[in-house]
Amino acid sequence: MAAEVKTQLSMIDPSQLLRPEPTFNDKPIDAFRDYSVDENDPIKERVRKTYYDMHTYVTVELVKEKREKWLKFNHFKSTVKDALIKLNELVDESDPDTDLPNIVHAFQTAERIRSDHPDDDWFQLTGLIHDLGKVMAFYDEPQWCVVGDTFPVGCKWADSIVYGPESFKNNPDTYNPKYNTKYGMYKPNCGLDNLLISWSHDEYLYQFLKHNKSTLPEKALYMIRYHSLYPWHAGGDYRHLTNEKDEDILKWVLEFNKYDLYTKSENVPDIEALWPYYEKLIEKYIPGVCEW
């Protein structure tokens, strides 16, 4: 299995190449990839293009269109296990430097959580499935609308968004007075639940779990929904829009993200040996054939 795994390609978020928020500035140099921008490096330029496309085309109108398209859950039917396996056929055009499939990252995350939280099987399963919403890329969805960091639309772009507000210079919402102010179309401290977030694998998987009546606890759903919202949970932005409930959500997301970010290594889990354990968790919390 290990040899087979190493021949596959993975999906990896381009957001990991450049995050400007201070949270990541004091980490050991060997804990991260090279985040610099190099116009002569085709991989880094591909990553930057992914974000510039995202920041150009993701508008309030587009997010509403994607929600209308995907929240009908009429694209395919599959078990969670089969969807996880299928995801590894997807080659991420923004993949910077790894030849390990996404399923390896999924199991690395889940197993590290299992080691630290042996009694929280819901948390372990959350680690396993957190990127599963990327299956949208099999249905003509451009990768800039699937992977990467997320951000609220309908208000001023935060400075901590990857590549900064300059990357939104060609986005029409940048010049729309309804959307380009501090509060934009929102009310002060309206809460994350009332924000329209850029469409991505996070929101899709969150909505998928609710639609398919998953019994994962609420904190698991919020870990999934906001784990890519780095301008909020790592950049410290949008506090003028959040409320007290979001402070609890923040604790859950930060607890999850330390496993999402820091569990990648060259050690490949014995996936075949681990499947029986995680299949039981899938059957417990997200059983049977689901609507995607």
Side-chain angles (χ1 to χ4, degrees), residues 18 33 48 55 71 214 248 251 266 285 289:
L18 180 62
R33 296 179 176 87
R48 183 162 67 159
H55 296 168
L71 300 189
S214 166
D248 286 330
K251 296 173 186 176
E266 296 179 357
Y285 291 106
V289 175

Side-chain angles (χ1 to χ4, degrees), residues 38-195:
D38 183 351
E39 294 182 356
N40 296 315
D41 186 324
I43 295 177
K44 292 179 181 179
E45 280 301 286
R46 189 164 66 237
V47 170
R48 183 162 67 159
K49 183 179 185 303
T50 298
Y51 267 97
Y52 269 72
D53 284 348
M54 179 195 302
H55 296 168
T56 296
Y57 302 122
V58 175
T59 61
V60 170
E61 182 179 1
L62 180 132
V63 173
K64 291 179 179 179
E65 290 175 357
K66 296 302 181 184
R67 293 178 67 89
E68 175 67 19
K69 172 184 176 180
W70 284 99
L71 300 189
K72 290 185 173 71
F73 301 104
N74 59 357
H75 289 83
F76 67 101
K77 294 182 179 181
S78 168
T79 64
V80 167
K81 178 182 179 180
D82 286 344
L84 279 165
I85 294 171
K86 177 70 174 174
L87 186 61
N88 292 297
E89 299 174 16
L90 184 61
V91 177
D92 187 345
E93 62 195 25
S94 66
D95 188 350
D97 58 7
T98 183
D99 62 356
L100 295 177
N102 183 251
I103 204 167
V104 173
H105 170 55
F107 273 95
Q108 286 174 332
T109 303
E111 281 294 283
R112 184 65 66 85
I113 293 172
R114 184 180 176 187
S115 176
D116 288 358
H117 300 270
D119 298 326
D120 295 329
D121 62 357
W122 64 268
F123 195 5
Q124 300 159 25
L125 182 60
T126 300
L128 186 73
I129 67 170
H130 72 280
D131 280 340
L132 192 50
K134 294 176 183 178
V135 295
M136 288 188 293
F138 289 112
Y139 294 86
D140 300 321
E141 204 62 78
Q143 292 198 19
W144 52 260
C145 206
V146 174
V147 303
D149 289 0
T150 60
F151 49 88
V153 296
C155 61
K156 184 178 180 181
W157 315 118
D159 290 338
S160 66
I161 296 176
V162 175
Y163 292 105
E166 190 273 342
S167 61
F168 290 88
K169 63 184 179 182
N170 293 322
N171 187 311
D173 285 2
T174 300
Y175 310 100
N176 188 329
K178 295 180 180 179
Y179 304 141
N180 63 8
T181 62
K182 179 179 179 179
Y183 291 100
M185 63 183 192
Y186 306 111
K187 295 181 179 180
N189 304 114
C190 60
L192 288 178
D193 287 346
N194 291 307
L195 300 184

Side-chain angles (χ1 to χ4, degrees), residues 121-127 129-130 205-206 209 214-227 252-253 256 285:
D121 62 357
W122 64 268
F123 195 5
Q124 300 159 25
L125 182 60
T126 300
I129 67 170
H130 72 280
L205 186 59
Y206 166 80
L209 292 169
S214 166
T215 56
L216 283 168
E218 182 183 48
K219 53 189 172 183
L221 300 182
Y222 280 115
M223 286 175 177
I224 288 168
R225 192 180 198 183
Y226 298 121
H227 77 268
W252 303 335
V253 172
F256 171 78
Y285 291 106

Side-chain angles (χ1 to χ4, degrees), residues 202-241:
D202 293 14
E203 183 67 17
Y204 175 54
L205 186 59
Y206 166 80
Q207 297 288 353
F208 160 85
L209 292 169
K210 291 177 71 68
H211 173 77
N212 287 281
K213 297 179 171 54
S214 166
T215 56
L216 283 168
E218 182 183 48
K219 53 189 172 183
L221 300 182
Y222 280 115
M223 286 175 177
I224 288 168
R225 192 180 198 183
Y226 298 121
H227 77 268
S228 299
L229 190 58
Y230 279 86
W232 167 61
H233 66 68
D237 284 316
Y238 301 109
R239 293 299 193 270
H240 58 291
L241 297 174

